[in-house]
Amino acid sequence: MSITCQITQHDKEMLCRKAPEFSAIVARFPEVSGFDCTGDLFYALVESIISQQLAVKAAAAIFGRVEHLLGEISPGNLLAADNLQLRQCGLSQRKIDYLRGIADASLSGRINFSDLAEKEDSEVIATLTTLKGVGIWTAEMLLLFALGRPDILSYNDLGIRKGIMALYNLDELSQNDFEFYRKRYSPYGSLASLYLWKIKDGGLCVK
């Protein structure tokens, strides 16, 4: 199942009202209007674990081979898959162990990924980070890009921190200071994240 996370003009206007410093970057990138989300938390988590510490093209190639091997990304298929074949797809043994761990958590009933997708952000993060291989940043990115949650601003994301530092011409950014900005942008943290990544990539020149 795929869902589209829509970003409306109203959202942009409200972010700029709460934080006028975004006005220039919002005007510069009018094409920021939404993104596709899988809506399937288990599927997205598998893809995320496979992609860890890999270049985008390499991660996509390995994921494609795993998906072809399994036929369908599901807990049962992951646990039933031959270890050697998974290695031949390009997976390290550590990632295979992580994947089998989340598959076991699903099949055992310890984590119901469908129900979890309906929970509050904090509960999703707390539950996912009990799994080996899943840290806070991974859980936050899943909330944003798999579930389309509207208010995700991750201190654990270096790009977002760099974007804030560039926007405000800061030499450093403590977690306490970051929390000030998180509250300033809320409840439009996810939209702010998209623009902060663009700022980090050179979308805004600070004088």
Side-chain angles (χ1 to χ4, degrees):
M1 177 182 67
S2 179
I3 59 176
T4 299
C5 179
Q6 298 285 354
I7 295 173
T8 67
Q9 185 61 32
H10 175 74
D11 294 333
K12 296 177 184 180
E13 291 172 357
M14 291 303 296
L15 174 63
C16 291
R17 183 176 299 179
K18 291 179 70 68
E21 57 271 25
F22 275 94
S23 297
I25 197 72
V26 168
R28 186 167 181 173
F29 292 97
E31 73 275 10
V32 175
S33 60
F35 51 90
D36 291 332
C37 305
T38 66
D40 184 332
L41 192 55
F42 181 84
Y43 181 98
L45 181 54
V46 169
E47 187 173 24
S48 178
I49 287 176
I50 289 174
S51 300
Q52 287 175 356
Q53 299 179 324
L54 292 175
V56 173
K57 287 185 178 180
I62 294 173
F63 182 77
R65 290 195 289 268
V66 171
E67 194 167 30
H68 178 75
L69 172 66
L70 300 182
E72 177 188 2
I73 300 293
S74 70
N77 288 348
L78 267 173
L79 286 180
D82 179 77
N83 199 73
L84 178 58
Q85 288 181 308
L86 288 172
R87 290 293 299 269
Q88 290 173 339
C89 287
L91 291 174
S92 66
Q93 187 58 51
R94 176 175 292 183
K95 287 187 179 181
I96 292 172
D97 292 341
Y98 290 161
L99 293 173
R100 293 198 192 282
I102 67 170
D104 180 71
S106 178
L107 287 178
S108 69
R110 183 163 71 86
I111 297 179
N112 185 317
F113 286 92
S114 295
D115 288 349
L116 184 62
E118 304 299 322
K119 303 295 185 181
E120 295 291 329
D121 294 349
S122 58
E123 188 171 351
V124 175
I125 292 171
T127 301
L128 289 179
T129 52
T130 64
L131 296 164
K132 289 185 178 180
V134 183
I136 293 175
W137 178 83
T138 295
E140 289 171 330
M141 293 303 102
L142 288 170
L143 282 169
L144 176 52
F145 292 113
L147 301 181
R149 296 295 174 87
D151 199 19
I152 304 300
L153 191 81
S154 175
Y155 177 77
N156 298 282
D157 190 282
L158 180 60
I160 288 176
R161 296 204 308 273
K162 284 186 174 181
I164 291 175
M165 292 168 68
L167 182 60
Y168 300 101
N169 202 16
L170 303 174
D171 293 326
E172 57 184 28
L173 181 67
S174 70
Q175 191 160 359
N176 284 339
D177 290 340
F178 180 90
E179 185 64 15
F180 166 81
Y181 295 114
R182 189 191 67 77
K183 291 178 179 178
R184 181 176 176 83
Y185 308 154
S186 183
Y188 303 99
S190 295
L191 178 56
S193 293
L194 297 179
Y195 286 119
L196 288 167
W197 278 314
K198 287 191 175 294
I199 292 171
K200 182 268 297 183
D201 291 334
L204 182 68
C205 295
V206 179
K207 296 181 181 179

